[in-house]
């Protein structure tokens, strides 16, 4: 086994600078907003793992099922030398792919994630269990990291978990075009997307009975208090979930229970909230096949195959560059 390698593209300083810019712009905007990527500090990542185990949150189980049932076919169809995984996190579901692909032509696994600690442990675990693979972790943002990665042989880029749904439509278009620009004709993209379904089930998936998602959402304010010296009275903010039927996306919001003023020390910035005013902390778009096909097409990909679970809750699409 060769020693796993870690390449750091975005440093803590880059991330700190981005956070400050996002807070400065997003909390001045009307309505107020924050990028959903700030939900994933250490505590947030733990809470997210907990969310994926809740009975209301069908997504992870549905995607695992699809991958378990179809990984061998995906491996056979693609037969690439390199698997790149964007936003790999713990790389758990990736094992389903790696198990199938190691029997084919796979030589290299390149997981990319913003969290250096999560990536480091994933890379070490995978390198141990797949000694024949060259494993090279890349610390970076999935929206920019791929373009900066050294080119290799034929590749499949996997972007699973439905995370593409956390981007706004314009950002998705830009993201897909940038992935396509980093690939060569004949390379592959494997994309996980949550699907449009009964709004009640969707809302429950983001507003679970145990309140884990509420805690996950409010945790972003604790992070701002810690990282930027803000003084958000966290318990005065209520977790809200809204289904936007026109745009077919879920919004997570935090609603101020009373009029309040927050001071963000590191930015020397005062933020006023009217009673009931909300901050949007996440969008999570839900897809239909025609939209998946169209967005891939606009991004320069051809949808080749797609798979869904039996209930039709989630989809995994395979597209060629
Ligand atoms: C799996 C990261 C895409 O949008 O469903 C879970 C994150 N937010 N509960 C999603 C999330 C609230 C999530 N992603």
């Amino acid at each position: 086994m060769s020693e796993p390698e870690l390449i750091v593209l975005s440093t803590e300083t880059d991330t700190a600078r981005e956070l400050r810019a996002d807070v400065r712009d997003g909390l001045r905007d009307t309505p107020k907003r924050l990028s959903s990527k700030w939900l994933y500090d250490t505590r947030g990542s733990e809470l997210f793992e907990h969310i994926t185990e809740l009975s209301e949150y069908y997504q992870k189980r549905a995607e695992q099922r699809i991958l378990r049932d179809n990984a061998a076919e995906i491996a056979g169809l693609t037969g690439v030398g390199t698997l790149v995984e964007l936003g790999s996190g713990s790389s758990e579901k990736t094992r389903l792919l790696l198990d199938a692909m190691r029997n084919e032509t796979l030589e290299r696994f390149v997981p990319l994630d913003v969290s250096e600690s999560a990536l480091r442990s994933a890379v070490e675990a995978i390198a141990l269990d797949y000694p024949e693979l060259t494993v090279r972790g890349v610390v970076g943002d999935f929206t920019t990291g791929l373009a900066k990665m050294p080119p290799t042989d034929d590749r499949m880029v996997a972007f699973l978990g439905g995370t593409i749904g956390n981007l706004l439509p314009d950002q998705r278009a830009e993201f897909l075009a940038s992935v396509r620009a980093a690939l060569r004709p004949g390379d592959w993209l494997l994309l996980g997307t949550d699907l449009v379904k009964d709004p009640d089930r969707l809302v429950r998936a983001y507003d679970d009975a145990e309140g884990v998602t509420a805690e996950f959402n409010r945790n972003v304010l604790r992070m701002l208090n810690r990282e930027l010296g803000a003084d958000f009275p966290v318990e005065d903010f209520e977790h809200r979930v809204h289904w936007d039927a026109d745009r077919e996306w879920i919004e997570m919001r935090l609603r101020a229970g009373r009029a309040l003023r927050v001071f963000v020390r590191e930015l020397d910035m005062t933020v006023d909230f009217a009673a009931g005013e909300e901050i949007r902390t996440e969008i999570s778009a839900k897809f239909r096949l025609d939209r998946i096909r169209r967005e891939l097409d606009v991004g320069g990909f051809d949808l080749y195959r797609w798979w869904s679970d039996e209930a039709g809750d989630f989809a995994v699409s395979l597209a060629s560059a």
Side-chain angles (χ1 to χ4, degrees):
M1 171 185 108
S2 58
E3 277 304 301
E5 217 185 305
L6 215 63
I7 301 174
V8 180
L9 287 179
S10 55
T11 62
E12 274 175 40
T13 345
D14 295 333
T15 311
R17 202 172 294 134
E18 261 184 78
L19 172 64
R20 299 163 78 100
D22 191 48
V23 171
R24 209 185 301 111
D25 301 343
L27 294 189
R28 273 201 197 121
D29 212 353
T30 317
K32 294 178 170 57
R33 57 178 169 82
L34 284 171
S35 164
S36 60
K37 72 174 156 199
W38 311 120
L39 293 164
Y40 301 91
D41 65 350
T42 305
R43 172 93 180 116
S45 300
E46 282 167 16
L47 287 163
F48 175 65
E49 287 302 316
H50 188 169
I51 288 171
T52 63
E53 283 151 24
L54 297 169
S55 60
E56 294 98 330
Y57 199 80
Y58 54 85
Q59 298 180 40
K60 177 172 173 190
R61 289 183 296 275
E63 187 177 52
Q64 299 248 27
R65 189 60 210 260
I66 297 169
L67 291 175
R68 200 168 302 128
D69 291 348
N70 302 290
E73 189 181 355
I74 293 167
L77 285 170
T78 54
V80 291
T82 299
L83 174 65
V84 178
E85 186 178 21
L86 302 180
S88 50
S90 64
S91 292
E92 205 189 310
K93 58 202 162 220
T94 321
R95 286 169 178 265
L96 296 167
L97 282 176
L98 291 174
D99 288 342
M101 293 174 79
R102 77 193 304 188
N103 300 322
E104 304 279 336
T105 46
L106 194 69
E107 288 170 8
R108 204 170 296 97
F109 175 52
V110 186
L112 179 143
D113 201 272
V114 274
S115 164
E116 181 164 344
S117 55
L119 192 64
R120 199 173 288 282
S121 34
V123 156
E124 276 161 18
I126 299 254
L128 266 183
D129 294 343
Y130 300 83
E132 79 281 16
L133 293 184
T134 301
V135 181
R136 176 194 262 181
V138 179
V139 181
D141 187 318
F142 64 73
T143 55
T144 53
L146 192 61
K148 297 188 206 154
M149 277 171 39
T152 55
D153 54 354
D154 51 341
R155 287 187 283 186
M156 175 160 80
V157 172
F159 191 41
L160 299 170
T163 307
I164 194 165
N166 295 143
L167 301 177
L168 291 160
D170 289 1
Q171 298 172 322
R172 294 203 294 267
E174 199 182 321
F175 165 72
L176 287 171
S178 76
V179 173
R180 176 62 189 82
L183 297 179
R184 296 185 307 202
D187 283 347
W188 299 93
L189 171 66
L190 189 69
L191 185 67
T193 47
D194 196 14
L195 299 177
V196 173
K197 58 182 61 65
D198 168 26
D200 290 340
R201 275 189 71 213
L202 279 171
V203 169
R204 263 185 280 126
Y206 291 83
D207 196 7
D208 62 278
E210 251 185 82
V212 183
T213 310
E215 218 23 62
F216 171 68
N217 195 6
R218 273 195 291 263
N219 179 63
V220 78
L221 301 181
R222 296 189 214 286
M223 185 276 294
L224 295 178
N225 287 351
R226 182 184 67 237
E227 297 297 324
L228 299 179
D231 60 359
F232 281 96
V234 177
E235 300 310 321
D236 286 325
F237 283 85
E238 190 198 343
H239 171 63
R240 304 267 293 171
V241 176
H242 171 75
W243 167 243
D244 186 325
D246 293 331
R247 294 186 287 192
E248 298 191 320
W249 72 47
I250 283 281
E251 289 194 10
M252 275 204 324
R253 302 169 179 175
L254 288 166
R255 181 178 189 273
R258 56 179 173 90
L260 52 92
R261 168 168 290 183
V262 172
F263 183 60
V264 186
R265 190 175 8 94
E266 298 255 329
L267 299 175
D268 194 23
M269 175 179 161
T270 300
V271 187
D272 285 314
F273 288 83
E277 189 176 349
E278 297 177 325
I279 316 176
R280 186 182 75 195
T281 51
E282 182 182 70
I283 75 145
S284 192
K286 308 306 166 191
F287 294 82
R288 301 172 189 271
L289 179 57
D290 59 338
R291 179 182 290 156
I292 297 170
R293 181 180 281 121
R294 182 163 17 93
E295 292 195 9
L296 285 168
D297 183 59
V298 171
F301 290 96
D302 289 318
L303 180 60
Y304 187 74
R305 288 283 318 259
W306 83 307
W307 299 268
S308 179
D309 57 308
E310 222 162 84
D313 283 341
F314 199 91
V316 173
S317 300
L318 180 65
S320 65

